[in-house]
Amino acid sequence: MAADRVTIGDRVLVGANALIVDFDFHPQTPEGRAEAINAGAAAPIVIADDVFDGYARHEGGHW
């Protein structure tokens, strides 16, 4: 999701269930949320060439 900009380079692999989001969905502080719940901060994301953006979930046991 992009509120501003997400740029993805060449030969980039994105793992299953990974999220690339360039904004907070809402302000971080309770006061900010009380003022404007949808006013999250946004900043561009640049993913360089030859990057793997994976997703890992670990629940107990060993890696």
Side-chain angles (χ1 to χ4, degrees), residues 40-60:
I45 292 177
V46 177
I47 300 175
D49 295 342
D50 303 307
V51 170
F52 173 70
D53 181 13
Y55 172 83
R57 183 173 178 168
H58 178 66
E59 293 182 16

Side-chain angles (χ1 to χ4, degrees), residues 7-63:
T7 304
I8 300 175
D10 295 327
R11 298 169 305 280
V12 171
L13 300 174
V14 179
N17 298 319
L19 297 175
I20 301 170
V21 180
D22 74 344
F23 65 98
D24 297 331
F25 289 93
H26 53 72
Q28 297 295 309
T29 65
E31 298 79 18
R33 289 191 299 275
E35 285 183 29
I37 189 67
N38 292 321
I45 292 177
V46 177
I47 300 175
D49 295 342
D50 303 307
V51 170
F52 173 70
D53 181 13
Y55 172 83
R57 183 173 178 168
H58 178 66
E59 293 182 16
H62 299 282
W63 286 93

